[in-house]
Amino acid sequence: MKDGADYTDSADGGSISLAGINEDNENCDPDYEKGNGAGAYFAETNETITAVAEPAEGYYFEGWYDENGSLVSTNPQLTYVETIGSVNTYYARF
């Protein structure tokens, strides 16, 4: 199902990283939790962000979805530019 009903928050299906960002960056908070997820990166205005989804063995990457469950991209690399006042939340589905 594509409406999110058959998905659970889990790291079993794969991992997500931010290209060029390591956990020592002052805008990275590995202890931030919202919902069942953990970790956050607080981007600067006009900063280009690239999130990379890597499926675990036995899984495949289905796509990036927004907080409304709408498909954003099927490319494992999602790149966007942070804008003033925006809060971008995307979920990788494996």
Side-chain angles (χ1 to χ4, degrees):
M1 298 182 86
K2 301 292 184 207
D3 65 1
D6 289 344
Y7 294 95
T8 59
D9 291 339
S10 169
D12 294 343
S15 62
I16 300 166
S17 62
L18 296 177
I21 309 284
N22 71 43
E23 290 183 9
D24 295 333
N25 185 297
E26 65 183 20
N27 292 345
C28 187
D29 184 354
D31 298 322
Y32 178 86
E33 292 190 29
K34 181 176 180 181
N36 293 326
Y41 179 74
F42 301 95
E44 300 288 336
T45 300
N46 295 321
E47 183 177 358
T48 299
I49 304 297
T50 299
V52 181
E54 181 69 36
E57 187 175 333
Y59 290 84
Y60 70 95
F61 176 71
E62 181 181 303
W64 290 100
Y65 290 77
D66 66 15
E67 63 263 6
N68 297 318
S70 298
L71 178 65
V72 175
S73 174
T74 57
N75 187 324
Q77 291 190 0
L78 176 67
T79 300
Y80 63 93
V81 176
E82 185 65 29
T83 58
I84 293 175
S86 68
V87 176
N88 295 296
T89 303
Y90 300 106
Y91 301 94
R93 290 187 179 169
F94 300 95

